[in-house]
Amino acid sequence: MNAFDGRQMRRPGFAALISLVLALCATCSAPARTLNVVRLPEYRARHAVEQGRVRSTIVDTLARRVLRKLNETELGTRVSLDVLVLSGGGQYGAFGAGVLSGWRTVEDPALRLPEFDVVTGISTGALLAPFAFLGDAHSHEQVIELYEQVDDDWAIVKATFFFLPWRPAFFDRSALDDYIDEHVDPAIVGRLASASREDRLLLVGSTNLDLGSMHIWNLTELATELEHGDDLSRLHGAMLASSAIPGAFEPVEIDGMLHVDGAVSRNLFVSPDPHVLPEVLHEIERLGGDPARVCTRVWMIVNGSLHSDASVVAAGWPSIVGRSIQLLMNATTLATLRLSEQVVETLNARRAGSAEFRFVCLPGDARPAPHGRLFDRKFMAELVRLGARVGSDPSSWRCDADPPFAAPPGEH
């Protein structure tokens, strides 16, 4: 018989313990928040203005970036606007790290890893993003080391009775905090600031739980503000917020608001809305550039699979919740891929050959993650190797995103 059975319940000590837990649940609650509920509409309006400014900055910065390229090349020569989009996916970020490493080895210069004009990241993609943005071999090796060395020390249960309702998270977040503090150091911030002066953009997204909105953080702009200071906490906080898996890791409080994993809002993002890339081309033309010489290339790395195999789900709540979240993330990721593809199709309808769309994801025959572990070092090392093989093969990139109702390849 299971150790937790009726005889356990009849033991006086066990019964007293259960009574104590129930009493605590009835009388205790989460720590009080100081956020003024009455002022939430004001905070929401302020957030809308701030995010509107971020949107305008993206358009203006990328237009300047492309104009710089046009002015540096011979008249008639085409230039590219390269956008890299990194999805969430927890430990599957190891796949993305491998893709970046393998991508460097491609022989065809048209398909080899470019210098990206803008990189965006969500969740584990936000951890990848600064190193993908910097783009050198050492940066790629650093992020590979992260996924090859991290293990369940990053998922230490926070406290006894971690499941009680007033606990903010199951696991201690200190290992993630320490990693970001150590690796996103003043030297990295200086390099990000230098890239900002070249009109390049590094963006990550978190979810503002209080306002119910996605928040896009311009890390290159933050880097220029913090370049000569000692306090990098705001930039670190933005990366932490984007990576804070709800329930697993404690939310990050920024300006009195609670922020969690950006994947709660969107698992991928090219820009704040689908109209930004067309507006960049309009702005280039307004400033005297020739948009016919520009090819917008959108590259997406999905850190995970797009399709879920049939599976017998255990009846317990962890399995039910985990499976439900997986299906939800797959559906929203497919929807975002399809939307991005449609934006590119719209650009090409206006001017043939003006945009390209490519993405890679975990192959359908990849081994599933071991059950019951948030981080598995051996599994992540396998993902790095798999990603490197995928990244080194230009034929791995797909140009068509199946809509959510389509069958996986091989099932048509």
Side-chain angles (χ1 to χ4, degrees):
M1 199 172 185
N2 191 291
F4 184 76
D5 59 20
R7 288 171 294 178
Q8 290 260 31
M9 293 295 290
R10 287 192 291 271
R11 294 174 185 170
F14 190 85
L17 178 60
I18 292 297
S19 298
L20 175 61
V21 170
L22 292 174
L24 286 171
C25 287
T27 59
C28 297
S29 60
R33 302 278 310 283
T34 57
L35 194 65
N36 189 335
V37 176
V38 176
R39 297 185 63 188
L40 280 177
E42 174 191 336
Y43 299 145
R44 181 184 286 276
R46 188 184 304 166
H47 174 267
V49 170
E50 179 187 352
Q51 292 297 287
R53 187 188 67 80
V54 171
R55 186 187 188 285
S56 297
T57 298
I58 293 171
V59 172
D60 294 343
T61 302
L62 293 183
R64 290 196 305 269
R65 173 72 175 172
V66 173
L67 281 172
R68 183 197 299 265
K69 289 185 173 185
L70 289 172
N71 292 334
E72 292 173 352
T73 57
E74 294 182 6
L75 191 64
T77 304
R78 299 193 76 195
V79 301
S80 63
L81 168 59
D82 285 295
V83 181
L84 175 64
V85 181
L86 300 163
S87 83
Q91 64 183 329
Y92 284 96
F95 170 75
V99 170
L100 292 170
S101 176
W103 198 355
R104 298 180 58 85
T105 67
V106 172
E107 293 184 3
D108 185 348
L111 295 174
R112 188 185 305 139
L113 180 81
E115 179 181 70
F116 296 105
D117 302 297
V118 55
V119 174
T120 77
I122 288 284
S123 193
T124 195
L127 297 180
L128 283 167
F131 304 97
F133 180 77
L134 294 174
D136 58 286
H138 176 66
S139 295
H140 291 168
E141 288 167 4
Q142 277 189 293
V143 79
I144 285 175
E145 287 175 6
L146 162 65
Y147 290 103
E148 288 185 334
Q149 294 178 9
V150 69
D151 56 21
D152 277 345
D153 288 344
W154 277 44
I156 297 173
V157 172
K158 198 170 179 64
T160 306
F161 301 129
F162 60 88
F163 51 82
L164 293 176
W166 58 87
R167 300 287 190 195
F170 285 6
F171 303 116
D172 191 314
R173 201 189 63 203
S174 58
L176 178 59
D177 292 43
D178 292 344
Y179 173 82
I180 292 176
D181 287 349
E182 178 183 353
H183 288 84
V184 186
D185 57 15
I188 293 292
V189 170
R191 293 180 66 189
L192 295 181
S194 178
S196 178
R197 289 187 282 272
E198 297 174 358
D199 295 315
R200 297 174 63 210
L201 287 168
L202 173 60
L203 311 170
V204 301
S206 66
T207 299
N208 186 319
L209 286 179
D210 294 304
L211 299 183
S213 303
M214 184 176 183
H215 189 109
I216 295 177
W217 302 89
N218 184 342
L219 296 192
T220 32
E221 183 178 65
L222 270 175
T224 61
E225 296 171 2
L226 304 174
E227 183 178 11
H228 302 297
D230 298 324
D231 184 6
L232 304 180
S233 59
R234 191 163 184 85
L235 190 146
H236 290 168
M239 292 186 63
L240 278 171
S242 184
S243 311
I245 303 170
F249 294 130
E250 187 173 348
V252 179
E253 186 170 333
I254 303 175
D255 299 332
M257 305 282 184
L258 291 186
H259 289 254
V260 296
D261 197 321
V264 172
S265 302
R266 209 182 309 173
N267 198 34
L268 295 159
F269 77 99
V270 177
S271 57
D273 65 65
H275 304 290
V276 166
L277 291 180
E279 284 188 25
V280 170
L281 297 178
H282 288 312
E283 182 65 9
I284 291 167
E285 188 170 22
R286 190 186 71 81
L287 294 173
D290 181 4
R293 293 176 56 196
V294 181
C295 180
T296 301
R297 304 195 298 178
V298 177
W299 310 84
M300 291 186 161
I301 298 177
V302 178
N303 292 305
S305 174
L306 290 180
H307 297 282
S308 301
D309 294 331
S311 174
V312 177
V313 179
W317 71 261
S319 297
I320 293 171
V321 171
R323 177 67 165 176
S324 300
I325 292 174
Q326 177 198 10
L327 295 175
L328 175 64
M329 296 300 293
N330 285 358
T332 57
T333 300
L334 273 166
T336 304
L337 284 171
R338 183 57 184 154
L339 177 61
S340 302
E341 183 183 6
Q342 288 174 341
V343 171
V344 167
E345 290 171 351
T346 300
L347 291 174
N348 284 327
R350 295 175 183 172
R351 184 180 291 109
S354 65
E356 298 173 0
F357 167 78
R358 297 183 180 90
F359 73 94
V360 290
C361 61
L362 199 69
D365 59 354
R367 183 170 77 89
H371 287 293
R373 302 193 68 182
L374 198 60
F375 303 105
D376 185 288
R377 182 181 295 179
K378 182 179 179 181
F379 178 64
M380 288 188 286
E382 291 178 15
L383 288 175
V384 168
R385 292 191 292 271
L386 174 60
R389 289 198 299 273
V390 168
S392 64
D393 181 4
S395 68
S396 298
W397 293 94
R398 295 171 54 182
C399 301
D400 60 317
D402 294 329
F405 52 81
E411 294 186 11
H412 294 286

